[in-house]
Short mmCIF file of all heavy atoms in Angstrom, two decimals:
data_model
loop_
_atom_site.label_atom_id
_atom_site.label_comp_id
_atom_site.label_asym_id
_atom_site.label_seq_id
_atom_site.Cartn_x
_atom_site.Cartn_y
_atom_site.Cartn_z
N MET A 1 15.60 -15.08 3.44
CA MET A 1 14.45 -14.41 3.98
C MET A 1 13.28 -15.40 3.99
O MET A 1 13.04 -16.08 3.01
CB MET A 1 14.13 -13.19 3.10
CG MET A 1 13.05 -12.34 3.65
SD MET A 1 12.56 -10.91 2.63
CE MET A 1 14.05 -10.07 2.29
N ASP A 2 12.56 -15.47 5.10
CA ASP A 2 11.43 -16.39 5.14
C ASP A 2 10.25 -15.83 4.35
O ASP A 2 10.24 -14.68 3.93
CB ASP A 2 11.04 -16.70 6.58
CG ASP A 2 10.43 -15.52 7.30
OD1 ASP A 2 10.62 -14.39 6.85
OD2 ASP A 2 9.77 -15.74 8.33
N THR A 3 9.26 -16.67 4.14
CA THR A 3 8.13 -16.30 3.29
C THR A 3 7.36 -15.12 3.86
O THR A 3 6.95 -14.23 3.12
CB THR A 3 7.19 -17.51 3.13
OG1 THR A 3 7.96 -18.60 2.64
CG2 THR A 3 6.08 -17.21 2.18
N GLY A 4 7.16 -15.09 5.17
CA GLY A 4 6.43 -13.99 5.80
C GLY A 4 7.15 -12.66 5.63
O GLY A 4 6.53 -11.63 5.33
N ALA A 5 8.46 -12.67 5.82
CA ALA A 5 9.24 -11.44 5.66
C ALA A 5 9.24 -10.99 4.20
O ALA A 5 9.17 -9.80 3.91
CB ALA A 5 10.66 -11.65 6.16
N TYR A 6 9.30 -11.96 3.30
CA TYR A 6 9.27 -11.63 1.87
C TYR A 6 7.94 -11.00 1.50
O TYR A 6 7.89 -10.01 0.77
CB TYR A 6 9.51 -12.90 1.04
CG TYR A 6 9.37 -12.67 -0.44
CD1 TYR A 6 10.34 -11.98 -1.15
CD2 TYR A 6 8.25 -13.13 -1.13
CE1 TYR A 6 10.21 -11.76 -2.50
CE2 TYR A 6 8.12 -12.92 -2.48
CZ TYR A 6 9.10 -12.23 -3.16
OH TYR A 6 8.97 -12.01 -4.50
N ARG A 7 6.85 -11.57 1.99
CA ARG A 7 5.52 -11.00 1.71
C ARG A 7 5.38 -9.61 2.29
O ARG A 7 4.82 -8.72 1.66
CB ARG A 7 4.44 -11.91 2.26
CG ARG A 7 4.24 -13.16 1.46
CD ARG A 7 3.11 -13.97 2.03
NE ARG A 7 2.96 -15.21 1.29
CZ ARG A 7 2.29 -16.24 1.74
NH1 ARG A 7 1.71 -16.19 2.93
NH2 ARG A 7 2.18 -17.33 1.02
N ALA A 8 5.88 -9.41 3.51
CA ALA A 8 5.79 -8.10 4.14
C ALA A 8 6.61 -7.07 3.35
O ALA A 8 6.17 -5.94 3.15
CB ALA A 8 6.27 -8.17 5.58
N ALA A 9 7.79 -7.45 2.90
CA ALA A 9 8.63 -6.54 2.13
C ALA A 9 7.99 -6.22 0.78
O ALA A 9 8.01 -5.07 0.33
CB ALA A 9 10.02 -7.15 1.91
N ARG A 10 7.38 -7.22 0.16
CA ARG A 10 6.70 -7.00 -1.11
C ARG A 10 5.49 -6.09 -0.94
O ARG A 10 5.24 -5.21 -1.76
CB ARG A 10 6.29 -8.34 -1.71
CG ARG A 10 6.19 -8.29 -3.21
CD ARG A 10 6.08 -9.66 -3.78
NE ARG A 10 4.68 -9.83 -4.14
CZ ARG A 10 4.09 -10.97 -4.33
NH1 ARG A 10 4.76 -12.08 -4.18
NH2 ARG A 10 2.84 -11.03 -4.68
N ALA A 11 4.74 -6.30 0.14
CA ALA A 11 3.58 -5.44 0.41
C ALA A 11 4.01 -4.01 0.69
O ALA A 11 3.37 -3.06 0.24
CB ALA A 11 2.78 -6.00 1.59
N ALA A 12 5.14 -3.85 1.40
CA ALA A 12 5.65 -2.51 1.66
C ALA A 12 6.10 -1.83 0.37
O ALA A 12 5.87 -0.63 0.18
CB ALA A 12 6.81 -2.57 2.65
N ASP A 13 6.72 -2.58 -0.52
CA ASP A 13 7.12 -2.02 -1.82
C ASP A 13 5.90 -1.61 -2.64
O ASP A 13 5.91 -0.55 -3.28
CB ASP A 13 7.96 -3.03 -2.60
CG ASP A 13 9.34 -3.21 -2.01
OD1 ASP A 13 9.78 -2.36 -1.20
OD2 ASP A 13 9.99 -4.23 -2.36
N CYS A 14 4.86 -2.42 -2.61
CA CYS A 14 3.62 -2.07 -3.33
C CYS A 14 2.99 -0.82 -2.73
O CYS A 14 2.47 0.03 -3.47
CB CYS A 14 2.64 -3.23 -3.28
SG CYS A 14 3.12 -4.62 -4.30
N LEU A 15 3.02 -0.70 -1.41
CA LEU A 15 2.48 0.48 -0.75
C LEU A 15 3.26 1.73 -1.15
O LEU A 15 2.68 2.78 -1.43
CB LEU A 15 2.48 0.30 0.76
CG LEU A 15 1.88 1.44 1.57
CD1 LEU A 15 0.42 1.66 1.21
CD2 LEU A 15 2.03 1.18 3.05
N LYS A 16 4.59 1.62 -1.20
CA LYS A 16 5.42 2.75 -1.62
C LYS A 16 5.11 3.16 -3.05
O LYS A 16 5.01 4.35 -3.36
CB LYS A 16 6.90 2.40 -1.49
CG LYS A 16 7.38 2.29 -0.07
CD LYS A 16 8.82 1.80 -0.05
CE LYS A 16 9.23 1.38 1.34
NZ LYS A 16 10.57 0.78 1.36
N ALA A 17 4.95 2.19 -3.92
CA ALA A 17 4.65 2.49 -5.32
C ALA A 17 3.28 3.13 -5.46
O ALA A 17 3.11 4.11 -6.21
CB ALA A 17 4.73 1.21 -6.16
N ALA A 18 2.29 2.59 -4.76
CA ALA A 18 0.94 3.16 -4.82
C ALA A 18 0.93 4.58 -4.26
O ALA A 18 0.24 5.47 -4.79
CB ALA A 18 -0.04 2.28 -4.05
N PHE A 19 1.69 4.82 -3.21
CA PHE A 19 1.79 6.16 -2.64
C PHE A 19 2.43 7.12 -3.64
O PHE A 19 1.97 8.25 -3.81
CB PHE A 19 2.59 6.13 -1.34
CG PHE A 19 2.67 7.46 -0.65
CD1 PHE A 19 1.58 7.97 0.02
CD2 PHE A 19 3.84 8.20 -0.70
CE1 PHE A 19 1.66 9.21 0.65
CE2 PHE A 19 3.92 9.43 -0.08
CZ PHE A 19 2.84 9.93 0.60
N ALA A 20 3.48 6.67 -4.30
CA ALA A 20 4.15 7.52 -5.30
C ALA A 20 3.20 7.87 -6.45
O ALA A 20 3.17 9.02 -6.92
CB ALA A 20 5.40 6.82 -5.83
N VAL A 21 2.41 6.90 -6.89
CA VAL A 21 1.45 7.16 -7.96
C VAL A 21 0.39 8.15 -7.49
O VAL A 21 0.03 9.09 -8.21
CB VAL A 21 0.79 5.84 -8.44
CG1 VAL A 21 -0.41 6.11 -9.33
CG2 VAL A 21 1.81 4.99 -9.16
N ALA A 22 -0.10 7.99 -6.28
CA ALA A 22 -1.11 8.90 -5.74
C ALA A 22 -0.56 10.32 -5.62
O ALA A 22 -1.24 11.30 -5.96
CB ALA A 22 -1.60 8.40 -4.39
N VAL A 23 0.66 10.46 -5.15
CA VAL A 23 1.28 11.78 -5.02
C VAL A 23 1.48 12.41 -6.40
O VAL A 23 1.19 13.59 -6.61
CB VAL A 23 2.61 11.70 -4.25
CG1 VAL A 23 3.40 12.99 -4.36
CG2 VAL A 23 2.35 11.37 -2.79
N ALA A 24 1.93 11.62 -7.36
CA ALA A 24 2.12 12.14 -8.72
C ALA A 24 0.79 12.58 -9.33
O ALA A 24 0.72 13.63 -9.99
CB ALA A 24 2.78 11.08 -9.60
N MET A 25 -0.25 11.82 -9.09
CA MET A 25 -1.56 12.20 -9.63
C MET A 25 -2.09 13.47 -8.97
O MET A 25 -2.69 14.33 -9.62
CB MET A 25 -2.56 11.06 -9.48
CG MET A 25 -2.25 9.89 -10.39
SD MET A 25 -3.42 8.54 -10.26
CE MET A 25 -4.72 9.19 -11.29
N ASN A 26 -1.86 13.61 -7.67
CA ASN A 26 -2.29 14.83 -6.98
C ASN A 26 -1.49 16.03 -7.46
O ASN A 26 -2.03 17.13 -7.60
CB ASN A 26 -2.16 14.67 -5.46
CG ASN A 26 -3.27 13.82 -4.90
OD1 ASN A 26 -4.37 13.77 -5.44
ND2 ASN A 26 -2.99 13.15 -3.80
N LEU A 27 -0.21 15.84 -7.72
CA LEU A 27 0.62 16.92 -8.26
C LEU A 27 0.14 17.31 -9.65
O LEU A 27 0.03 18.50 -9.96
CB LEU A 27 2.08 16.49 -8.31
CG LEU A 27 3.07 17.53 -8.81
CD1 LEU A 27 3.07 18.76 -7.91
CD2 LEU A 27 4.46 16.94 -8.89
N ALA A 28 -0.18 16.34 -10.47
CA ALA A 28 -0.70 16.63 -11.82
C ALA A 28 -2.00 17.39 -11.73
O ALA A 28 -2.24 18.35 -12.48
CB ALA A 28 -0.90 15.33 -12.59
N GLU A 29 -2.84 17.02 -10.79
CA GLU A 29 -4.11 17.72 -10.65
C GLU A 29 -3.93 19.13 -10.10
O GLU A 29 -4.70 20.03 -10.43
CB GLU A 29 -5.05 16.91 -9.75
CG GLU A 29 -6.47 17.42 -9.81
CD GLU A 29 -7.46 16.43 -9.23
OE1 GLU A 29 -7.06 15.42 -8.64
OE2 GLU A 29 -8.66 16.68 -9.38
N ALA A 30 -2.92 19.32 -9.28
CA ALA A 30 -2.65 20.66 -8.74
C ALA A 30 -2.10 21.60 -9.80
O ALA A 30 -2.38 22.80 -9.79
CB ALA A 30 -1.68 20.57 -7.57
N LEU A 31 -1.31 21.06 -10.73
CA LEU A 31 -0.69 21.90 -11.76
C LEU A 31 -1.59 22.14 -12.96
O LEU A 31 -1.49 23.16 -13.63
CB LEU A 31 0.62 21.27 -12.22
CG LEU A 31 1.70 21.16 -11.15
CD1 LEU A 31 2.91 20.41 -11.70
CD2 LEU A 31 2.10 22.52 -10.64
N TRP A 32 -2.45 21.17 -13.22
CA TRP A 32 -3.31 21.28 -14.39
C TRP A 32 -4.59 20.53 -14.07
O TRP A 32 -4.58 19.61 -13.28
CB TRP A 32 -2.52 20.77 -15.58
CG TRP A 32 -3.14 19.85 -16.56
CD1 TRP A 32 -4.00 20.18 -17.54
CD2 TRP A 32 -2.92 18.44 -16.69
NE1 TRP A 32 -4.33 19.07 -18.27
CE2 TRP A 32 -3.67 17.99 -17.77
CE3 TRP A 32 -2.16 17.52 -16.00
CZ2 TRP A 32 -3.69 16.66 -18.18
CZ3 TRP A 32 -2.17 16.20 -16.40
CH2 TRP A 32 -2.92 15.79 -17.48
N GLU A 33 -5.68 20.94 -14.63
CA GLU A 33 -6.99 20.38 -14.31
C GLU A 33 -7.39 19.28 -15.29
O GLU A 33 -8.12 19.54 -16.25
CB GLU A 33 -8.05 21.49 -14.33
CG GLU A 33 -7.99 22.43 -13.16
CD GLU A 33 -8.37 21.77 -11.85
OE1 GLU A 33 -9.28 20.92 -11.83
OE2 GLU A 33 -7.72 22.09 -10.84
N PRO A 34 -6.95 18.06 -15.07
CA PRO A 34 -7.37 16.97 -15.96
C PRO A 34 -8.84 16.62 -15.69
O PRO A 34 -9.30 16.66 -14.56
CB PRO A 34 -6.45 15.81 -15.60
CG PRO A 34 -5.97 16.12 -14.23
CD PRO A 34 -6.02 17.59 -14.06
N ASP A 35 -9.55 16.32 -16.74
CA ASP A 35 -10.96 15.95 -16.63
C ASP A 35 -11.22 14.69 -17.42
O ASP A 35 -10.35 14.17 -18.10
CB ASP A 35 -11.85 17.06 -17.21
CG ASP A 35 -12.18 18.14 -16.19
OD1 ASP A 35 -11.96 17.89 -15.00
OD2 ASP A 35 -12.65 19.21 -16.60
N GLY A 36 -12.43 14.23 -17.33
CA GLY A 36 -12.85 13.12 -18.16
C GLY A 36 -12.99 11.81 -17.41
O GLY A 36 -12.57 11.66 -16.26
N VAL A 37 -13.58 10.88 -18.11
CA VAL A 37 -13.84 9.56 -17.54
C VAL A 37 -12.54 8.81 -17.29
O VAL A 37 -12.39 8.13 -16.27
CB VAL A 37 -14.77 8.76 -18.49
CG1 VAL A 37 -14.98 7.35 -17.98
CG2 VAL A 37 -16.09 9.47 -18.66
N LEU A 38 -11.59 8.95 -18.20
CA LEU A 38 -10.32 8.25 -18.06
C LEU A 38 -9.57 8.70 -16.80
O LEU A 38 -9.04 7.87 -16.05
CB LEU A 38 -9.45 8.47 -19.29
CG LEU A 38 -8.14 7.69 -19.35
CD1 LEU A 38 -8.42 6.19 -19.32
CD2 LEU A 38 -7.36 8.06 -20.59
N TRP A 39 -9.54 10.00 -16.55
CA TRP A 39 -8.87 10.52 -15.35
C TRP A 39 -9.58 10.05 -14.09
O TRP A 39 -8.93 9.65 -13.11
CB TRP A 39 -8.79 12.04 -15.40
CG TRP A 39 -8.10 12.61 -14.21
CD1 TRP A 39 -8.68 13.23 -13.15
CD2 TRP A 39 -6.70 12.58 -13.92
NE1 TRP A 39 -7.73 13.59 -12.24
CE2 TRP A 39 -6.50 13.20 -12.68
CE3 TRP A 39 -5.59 12.08 -14.60
CZ2 TRP A 39 -5.25 13.35 -12.12
CZ3 TRP A 39 -4.34 12.23 -14.02
CH2 TRP A 39 -4.18 12.85 -12.80
N THR A 40 -10.90 10.08 -14.11
CA THR A 40 -11.66 9.62 -12.95
C THR A 40 -11.42 8.14 -12.69
O THR A 40 -11.24 7.72 -11.54
CB THR A 40 -13.17 9.88 -13.18
OG1 THR A 40 -13.35 11.27 -13.44
CG2 THR A 40 -13.99 9.48 -11.98
N ALA A 41 -11.38 7.34 -13.74
CA ALA A 41 -11.11 5.91 -13.59
C ALA A 41 -9.70 5.67 -13.08
O ALA A 41 -9.47 4.80 -12.23
CB ALA A 41 -11.32 5.20 -14.92
N ALA A 42 -8.75 6.45 -13.56
CA ALA A 42 -7.36 6.31 -13.09
C ALA A 42 -7.24 6.66 -11.63
O ALA A 42 -6.53 5.98 -10.87
CB ALA A 42 -6.44 7.18 -13.93
N ARG A 43 -7.92 7.71 -11.20
CA ARG A 43 -7.88 8.09 -9.77
C ARG A 43 -8.52 7.03 -8.90
O ARG A 43 -8.03 6.70 -7.83
CB ARG A 43 -8.53 9.44 -9.55
CG ARG A 43 -7.64 10.57 -10.00
CD ARG A 43 -8.13 11.90 -9.50
NE ARG A 43 -8.31 11.94 -8.07
CZ ARG A 43 -7.48 12.57 -7.24
NH1 ARG A 43 -6.44 13.19 -7.70
NH2 ARG A 43 -7.72 12.59 -5.95
N ALA A 44 -9.65 6.48 -9.38
CA ALA A 44 -10.32 5.41 -8.62
C ALA A 44 -9.42 4.18 -8.52
O ALA A 44 -9.30 3.57 -7.45
CB ALA A 44 -11.65 5.07 -9.27
N ALA A 45 -8.77 3.81 -9.62
CA ALA A 45 -7.87 2.66 -9.61
C ALA A 45 -6.69 2.89 -8.68
O ALA A 45 -6.30 1.99 -7.92
CB ALA A 45 -7.39 2.37 -11.03
N ALA A 46 -6.12 4.08 -8.71
CA ALA A 46 -5.00 4.39 -7.81
C ALA A 46 -5.44 4.34 -6.35
O ALA A 46 -4.70 3.86 -5.49
CB ALA A 46 -4.42 5.76 -8.15
N SER A 47 -6.63 4.82 -6.07
CA SER A 47 -7.15 4.78 -4.70
C SER A 47 -7.35 3.35 -4.22
O SER A 47 -7.00 3.01 -3.09
CB SER A 47 -8.47 5.55 -4.61
OG SER A 47 -8.27 6.89 -4.93
N VAL A 48 -7.91 2.52 -5.08
CA VAL A 48 -8.13 1.12 -4.71
C VAL A 48 -6.80 0.40 -4.51
O VAL A 48 -6.64 -0.34 -3.53
CB VAL A 48 -8.99 0.41 -5.78
CG1 VAL A 48 -9.01 -1.10 -5.58
CG2 VAL A 48 -10.41 0.96 -5.76
N LEU A 49 -5.84 0.63 -5.39
CA LEU A 49 -4.52 0.00 -5.24
C LEU A 49 -3.85 0.42 -3.94
O LEU A 49 -3.26 -0.39 -3.24
CB LEU A 49 -3.64 0.34 -6.43
CG LEU A 49 -3.99 -0.34 -7.74
CD1 LEU A 49 -3.10 0.20 -8.86
CD2 LEU A 49 -3.83 -1.84 -7.62
N PHE A 50 -3.94 1.70 -3.61
CA PHE A 50 -3.35 2.19 -2.38
C PHE A 50 -4.03 1.55 -1.16
O PHE A 50 -3.36 1.11 -0.23
CB PHE A 50 -3.45 3.72 -2.29
CG PHE A 50 -2.81 4.28 -1.07
CD1 PHE A 50 -1.44 4.42 -0.99
CD2 PHE A 50 -3.58 4.66 0.02
CE1 PHE A 50 -0.84 4.93 0.15
CE2 PHE A 50 -2.99 5.17 1.16
CZ PHE A 50 -1.62 5.32 1.22
N LEU A 51 -5.35 1.48 -1.20
CA LEU A 51 -6.08 0.89 -0.08
C LEU A 51 -5.75 -0.58 0.09
O LEU A 51 -5.51 -1.05 1.22
CB LEU A 51 -7.59 1.07 -0.29
CG LEU A 51 -8.48 0.55 0.83
CD1 LEU A 51 -8.21 1.28 2.13
CD2 LEU A 51 -9.94 0.69 0.44
N VAL A 52 -5.68 -1.33 -0.99
CA VAL A 52 -5.34 -2.75 -0.92
C VAL A 52 -3.93 -2.94 -0.39
O VAL A 52 -3.68 -3.80 0.46
CB VAL A 52 -5.52 -3.42 -2.30
CG1 VAL A 52 -4.89 -4.80 -2.34
CG2 VAL A 52 -6.99 -3.49 -2.67
N ALA A 53 -3.00 -2.13 -0.86
CA ALA A 53 -1.61 -2.24 -0.38
C ALA A 53 -1.51 -1.89 1.10
O ALA A 53 -0.78 -2.54 1.85
CB ALA A 53 -0.70 -1.35 -1.21
N LEU A 54 -2.24 -0.88 1.53
CA LEU A 54 -2.22 -0.48 2.94
C LEU A 54 -2.80 -1.58 3.82
O LEU A 54 -2.22 -1.93 4.85
CB LEU A 54 -2.99 0.83 3.13
CG LEU A 54 -3.05 1.38 4.54
CD1 LEU A 54 -1.63 1.71 5.02
CD2 LEU A 54 -3.93 2.61 4.58
N VAL A 55 -3.92 -2.14 3.42
CA VAL A 55 -4.53 -3.23 4.19
C VAL A 55 -3.60 -4.43 4.24
O VAL A 55 -3.44 -5.06 5.29
CB VAL A 55 -5.91 -3.60 3.60
CG1 VAL A 55 -6.44 -4.89 4.19
CG2 VAL A 55 -6.90 -2.46 3.84
N ALA A 56 -2.97 -4.77 3.13
CA ALA A 56 -2.04 -5.90 3.11
C ALA A 56 -0.88 -5.68 4.07
O ALA A 56 -0.49 -6.60 4.81
CB ALA A 56 -1.52 -6.14 1.69
N CYS A 57 -0.33 -4.48 4.08
CA CYS A 57 0.78 -4.18 5.00
C CYS A 57 0.35 -4.31 6.45
O CYS A 57 1.06 -4.90 7.27
CB CYS A 57 1.30 -2.77 4.75
SG CYS A 57 2.42 -2.67 3.37
N VAL A 58 -0.81 -3.78 6.78
CA VAL A 58 -1.29 -3.84 8.16
C VAL A 58 -1.58 -5.28 8.57
O VAL A 58 -1.18 -5.71 9.66
CB VAL A 58 -2.54 -2.94 8.34
CG1 VAL A 58 -3.20 -3.17 9.68
CG2 VAL A 58 -2.16 -1.48 8.18
N VAL A 59 -2.24 -6.03 7.71
CA VAL A 59 -2.55 -7.42 8.04
C VAL A 59 -1.28 -8.24 8.22
O VAL A 59 -1.15 -9.00 9.19
CB VAL A 59 -3.46 -8.04 6.96
CG1 VAL A 59 -3.54 -9.56 7.10
CG2 VAL A 59 -4.85 -7.43 7.02
N LEU A 60 -0.34 -8.09 7.32
CA LEU A 60 0.92 -8.84 7.45
C LEU A 60 1.70 -8.42 8.68
O LEU A 60 2.31 -9.24 9.36
CB LEU A 60 1.77 -8.67 6.19
CG LEU A 60 1.24 -9.41 4.97
CD1 LEU A 60 2.03 -9.01 3.73
CD2 LEU A 60 1.30 -10.91 5.18
N TRP A 61 1.67 -7.14 9.02
CA TRP A 61 2.34 -6.67 10.22
C TRP A 61 1.71 -7.28 11.47
O TRP A 61 2.42 -7.76 12.36
CB TRP A 61 2.27 -5.14 10.29
CG TRP A 61 2.93 -4.58 11.51
CD1 TRP A 61 4.26 -4.40 11.71
CD2 TRP A 61 2.28 -4.15 12.71
NE1 TRP A 61 4.48 -3.87 12.95
CE2 TRP A 61 3.27 -3.70 13.59
CE3 TRP A 61 0.95 -4.08 13.10
CZ2 TRP A 61 2.97 -3.21 14.85
CZ3 TRP A 61 0.65 -3.60 14.35
CH2 TRP A 61 1.66 -3.17 15.22
N VAL A 62 0.38 -7.30 11.53
CA VAL A 62 -0.31 -7.89 12.68
C VAL A 62 -0.02 -9.38 12.78
O VAL A 62 0.26 -9.89 13.87
CB VAL A 62 -1.83 -7.63 12.58
CG1 VAL A 62 -2.61 -8.47 13.58
CG2 VAL A 62 -2.13 -6.15 12.79
N LEU A 63 -0.05 -10.08 11.65
CA LEU A 63 0.23 -11.53 11.69
C LEU A 63 1.65 -11.82 12.13
O LEU A 63 1.88 -12.74 12.93
CB LEU A 63 -0.03 -12.14 10.31
CG LEU A 63 -1.49 -12.22 9.88
CD1 LEU A 63 -1.58 -12.72 8.45
CD2 LEU A 63 -2.29 -13.10 10.82
N ARG A 64 2.61 -11.05 11.64
CA ARG A 64 4.00 -11.27 12.06
C ARG A 64 4.17 -10.95 13.54
O ARG A 64 4.88 -11.66 14.26
CB ARG A 64 4.95 -10.40 11.24
CG ARG A 64 5.18 -10.96 9.86
CD ARG A 64 6.19 -10.15 9.15
NE ARG A 64 7.38 -10.07 9.99
CZ ARG A 64 8.61 -10.30 9.58
NH1 ARG A 64 8.82 -10.59 8.33
NH2 ARG A 64 9.62 -10.22 10.38
N ARG A 65 3.54 -9.90 14.01
CA ARG A 65 3.65 -9.53 15.42
C ARG A 65 3.02 -10.59 16.31
O ARG A 65 3.57 -10.97 17.34
CB ARG A 65 2.98 -8.18 15.64
CG ARG A 65 3.21 -7.60 16.98
CD ARG A 65 2.92 -6.13 16.94
NE ARG A 65 2.88 -5.56 18.25
CZ ARG A 65 3.90 -4.99 18.84
NH1 ARG A 65 5.04 -4.89 18.19
NH2 ARG A 65 3.81 -4.49 20.04
N ARG A 66 1.87 -11.11 15.89
CA ARG A 66 1.20 -12.15 16.66
C ARG A 66 2.04 -13.43 16.69
O ARG A 66 2.19 -14.07 17.72
CB ARG A 66 -0.16 -12.45 16.04
CG ARG A 66 -0.95 -13.49 16.84
CD ARG A 66 -2.29 -13.73 16.24
NE ARG A 66 -3.11 -12.54 16.40
CZ ARG A 66 -4.29 -12.36 15.84
NH1 ARG A 66 -4.77 -13.29 15.03
NH2 ARG A 66 -4.97 -11.27 16.05
N ARG A 67 2.64 -13.78 15.54
CA ARG A 67 3.48 -14.97 15.47
C ARG A 67 4.72 -14.82 16.34
O ARG A 67 5.13 -15.75 17.02
CB ARG A 67 3.89 -15.24 14.02
CG ARG A 67 4.58 -16.56 13.84
CD ARG A 67 4.96 -16.85 12.40
NE ARG A 67 3.89 -16.55 11.47
CZ ARG A 67 4.07 -15.92 10.32
NH1 ARG A 67 5.27 -15.54 9.95
NH2 ARG A 67 3.06 -15.69 9.52
N SER A 68 5.32 -13.63 16.34
CA SER A 68 6.54 -13.44 17.14
C SER A 68 6.21 -13.46 18.63
O SER A 68 7.01 -13.93 19.43
CB SER A 68 7.24 -12.14 16.77
OG SER A 68 6.47 -11.03 17.19
N ARG A 69 5.04 -13.01 19.02
CA ARG A 69 4.65 -13.08 20.44
C ARG A 69 4.38 -14.51 20.87
O ARG A 69 4.68 -14.89 22.00
CB ARG A 69 3.42 -12.23 20.70
CG ARG A 69 3.70 -10.78 20.78
CD ARG A 69 2.47 -10.03 21.21
NE ARG A 69 2.78 -8.63 21.37
CZ ARG A 69 1.93 -7.74 21.80
NH1 ARG A 69 0.71 -8.09 22.10
NH2 ARG A 69 2.30 -6.48 21.93
N SER A 70 3.78 -15.29 19.99
CA SER A 70 3.47 -16.68 20.35
C SER A 70 4.72 -17.54 20.41
O SER A 70 4.71 -18.59 21.07
CB SER A 70 2.45 -17.27 19.38
OG SER A 70 3.02 -17.41 18.11
N GLU A 71 5.79 -17.16 19.74
CA GLU A 71 7.03 -17.95 19.75
C GLU A 71 7.89 -17.66 20.96
O GLU A 71 8.81 -18.41 21.25
CB GLU A 71 7.82 -17.68 18.47
CG GLU A 71 7.15 -18.23 17.24
CD GLU A 71 7.88 -17.84 15.96
OE1 GLU A 71 8.87 -17.09 16.04
OE2 GLU A 71 7.44 -18.29 14.90
N ARG A 72 7.61 -16.59 21.68
CA ARG A 72 8.40 -16.28 22.88
C ARG A 72 8.03 -17.24 24.00
O ARG A 72 6.88 -17.65 24.14
CB ARG A 72 8.09 -14.86 23.36
CG ARG A 72 8.70 -13.81 22.51
CD ARG A 72 8.52 -12.48 23.17
NE ARG A 72 8.34 -11.47 22.15
CZ ARG A 72 7.87 -10.29 22.36
NH1 ARG A 72 7.49 -9.93 23.56
NH2 ARG A 72 7.75 -9.42 21.39
N PRO A 73 9.03 -17.55 24.84
CA PRO A 73 8.74 -18.46 25.98
C PRO A 73 7.93 -17.82 27.06
O PRO A 73 7.79 -16.72 27.25
CB PRO A 73 10.13 -18.85 26.50
CG PRO A 73 11.09 -17.92 25.89
CD PRO A 73 10.41 -17.25 24.75
#
C-alpha cells in the first residue's frame, strides 16, 4: 500500500473510532444525565477529535482525487 492510501485508511479508521466514541457518549447521555466539568471536557475532546478526523479524511480524499486526475493522460 502506498503512503497516501495508508494515510487515508488510517484517517478513516480514526474517523470510525471518533464516531463510535461520539455515539457511545450520546447513548450514555440519553440513558443517564452525566454532569460536571469532566463530562463537559470529555464531550469537547470527543467533538474536537471527530472534527479533526473528518477534516483529515476529506483533505486526504481531495488530494488523492486531484493526484489521480493529474496522472491520467
